[in-house]
Amino acid sequence: MTDHNVRTVLPVQAILGEGPVWVAREQALWFVDIKSRHIHRFDPATGEARRWDAPDQVGWMLPSADGGMIAGLRTGLHRFDPADGSFTFLARPEGDPAGNRLNDAATDGAGRIWFGTMDDAETDMSGRVYRHAAGIVTDSGLAPVCITNGPAIAGDGTTLYHTDTIGKTIWRATIGADGTLGAATPFVTIEEGAGHPDGSVVDAEGCLWVALWGGWGVRRYDPSGKLIGTVRLPASNITKIAFGGPDLRTAYATSARKGLDEAALADQPEAGNLFAFDPGVAGVPVTPVAL
């Protein structure tokens, strides 16, 4: 069995840790705690951690090409200024229900943002996947689900993976040069008892890593959908991983305390922390958002 050297690197005990992203120009990891409305930045070289408060639930942070950061708040996309903690509105998905919030996101090689929304009450099939390009948000055309997750882009920029968390299915669609999607086809369905698929990311070998909510870890699938690896982590609710470090060969995983009762929290005191492990493969650099 491979030793992945799993460890806690930042004990934040997040209610709903999510959206880890490695920002290469800073050599730092950014992530959020959606329910606590917190934005976190972690510098693994120095161990320094910073935290900002967001004005609403914040689903993700992404670096922008102009050197700033873009935040996915419940109310839409905003520019975030770490210097003073301010937020400036950019765009929102028109017509998205008021009970929805933004949940997960990724950029493609052209700097477009692919992001999903979801019903905050986790009951209605109102979650959709959107594309942000040149300041405009458009519906991707993918079928609505209750909880969207893990928009992940293959390294060559031609494939998008989209997760229906409640349906326990990851879908795959081709991305055209103009950003339009081809028909979505099922890629992987998570079997009963293994948890629900949450965030995902593609590595440098084209394999998809999927975090498992209620599944105590992450899985790695090859491009054909075959399960080829599993890493167990010390918390049941793993939400997403990001590849980071100077060589993109360290995996960082966010986790959540949400939904765990006192007995469960006693059994997993590290729940909600930021973990790191050695995945044995490199990741793909994150393309900053083109504004």
Side-chain angles (χ1 to χ4, degrees):
M1 185 173 181
T2 302
D3 179 12
H4 293 284
N5 187 25
V6 175
R7 65 269 189 196
T8 284
V9 291
L10 194 63
V12 290
Q13 294 193 315
I15 297 175
L16 185 52
E18 254 291 8
V21 61
W22 182 257
V23 180
R25 64 185 179 231
E26 303 176 11
Q27 289 292 290
L29 186 88
W30 289 72
F31 66 101
V32 301
D33 181 347
I34 297 173
K35 293 301 180 181
S36 297
R37 304 182 178 186
H38 289 158
I39 295 168
H40 294 274
R41 180 188 183 277
F42 174 62
D43 182 339
T46 64
E48 180 189 10
R50 293 191 63 189
R51 194 192 83 187
W52 297 264
D53 293 328
D56 209 326
Q57 295 184 75
V58 52
W60 46 265
M61 302 294 297
L62 290 170
S64 61
D66 63 1
M69 296 294 293
I70 307 299
L73 299 182
R74 185 189 63 82
T75 49
L77 280 63
H78 291 69
R79 183 188 298 276
F80 172 67
D81 185 350
D84 60 9
S86 64
F87 294 81
T88 304
F89 175 78
L90 294 174
R92 68 165 56 89
E94 296 298 332
D96 210 52
N100 276 11
R101 65 171 173 82
L102 274 60
N103 193 48
D104 203 355
T107 57
D108 63 17
R112 295 176 291 231
I113 307 174
W114 297 86
F115 68 95
T117 63
M118 62 169 280
D119 175 27
D120 198 31
E122 302 181 11
T123 56
D124 292 342
M125 299 282 285
S126 59
R128 289 186 176 275
V129 175
Y130 295 92
R131 180 184 69 245
H132 170 275
I136 299 172
V137 174
T138 53
D139 193 323
S140 70
L142 293 171
V145 299
C146 180
I147 300 177
T148 63
N149 245 311
I153 315 296
D156 64 3
T158 63
T159 304
L160 177 138
Y161 296 91
H162 153 59
T163 299
D164 171 3
T165 293
I166 298 296
K168 304 184 76 169
T169 300
I170 300 166
W171 296 79
R172 178 167 58 183
T174 59
I175 304 174
D178 61 353
T180 58
L181 295 181
T185 57
F187 175 65
V188 165
T189 297
I190 304 299
E191 74 275 14
E192 289 301 315
H196 287 77
D198 205 304
S200 61
V201 65
V202 181
D203 65 28
E205 296 178 357
C207 297
L208 186 74
W209 292 73
V210 180
L212 295 173
W213 181 277
W216 291 89
V218 296
R219 287 181 172 183
R220 185 185 187 218
Y221 292 90
D222 73 11
S224 73
K226 177 184 178 182
L227 177 62
I228 57 173
T230 301
V231 179
R232 184 174 173 86
L233 297 169
S236 59
N237 296 333
I238 306 303
T239 55
K240 192 172 185 176
I241 75 163
F243 291 92
D247 53 4
L248 296 180
R249 296 186 69 91
T250 299
Y252 293 95
T254 46
S255 64
R257 297 166 66 85
K258 181 178 180 286
L260 301 180
D261 59 21
E262 290 186 8
L265 290 172
D267 287 340
Q268 42 182 306
E270 294 181 90
N273 290 349
L274 177 68
F275 303 109
F277 63 90
D278 302 332
V281 65
V284 176
V286 173
T287 300
V289 178
L291 292 175

